[in-house]
Amino acid sequence: MNIFGVGLPEVTVILILALLIFGPKKLPELGKQLGKTLKSLKKASNEFQNEIDQVMNEEDKDESLKSIESNQTNEMNQEKIDSENSKK
């Protein structure tokens, strides 16, 4: 078991120290509060990642639309040149 680079012996020592410092009545409250904090941090992290992904997707869409418009313009210009050349 390896949590954040801390092995099982270190986790055991930390839990025993927490039990001695806070007492058995406060530990469940502290654990619950720690769980809520970690959950909110994870939620914020996921929202941030989703926003980044959304912005990246919008940029990709904009680039692809510009590319399509550029290709259409080039095709239209080429058709004009071809039609002018065929008239000569």
Side-chain angles (χ1 to χ4, degrees), residues 50-71:
N50 288 339
E51 287 180 24
I52 290 174
D53 291 342
Q54 187 177 15
V55 168
M56 295 296 287
N57 287 338
E58 287 175 4
E59 288 178 2
D60 289 344
K61 287 179 184 179
D62 289 344
E63 287 178 10
S64 64
L65 285 174
K66 287 179 184 177
S67 175
I68 290 170
E69 288 174 358
S70 175
N71 287 342

Side-chain angles (χ1 to χ4, degrees), residues 67-79 81:
S67 175
I68 290 170
E69 288 174 358
S70 175
N71 287 342
Q72 288 176 343
T73 303
N74 289 340
E75 288 174 4
M76 289 173 52
N77 289 338
Q78 186 62 37
E79 288 176 3
I81 291 171

Side-chain angles (χ1 to χ4, degrees), residues 2 13 17-18 21 27-28 34 37 39 41 51-52 58 62 76 82 87:
N2 192 357
V13 170
L17 286 175
I21 293 171
L27 279 182
L34 179 64
T37 303
K39 184 178 179 180
L41 287 173
E51 287 180 24
I52 290 174
E58 287 175 4
D62 289 344
M76 289 173 52
D82 290 344
K87 290 179 182 178

Side-chain angles (χ1 to χ4, degrees), residues 7 24-25 28 30 38 40 42 46 54 62 65 79 81:
K25 292 182 181 179
L30 292 172
L38 290 175
S40 67
K42 185 175 181 180
N46 287 339
Q54 187 177 15
D62 289 344
L65 285 174
E79 288 176 3
I81 291 171

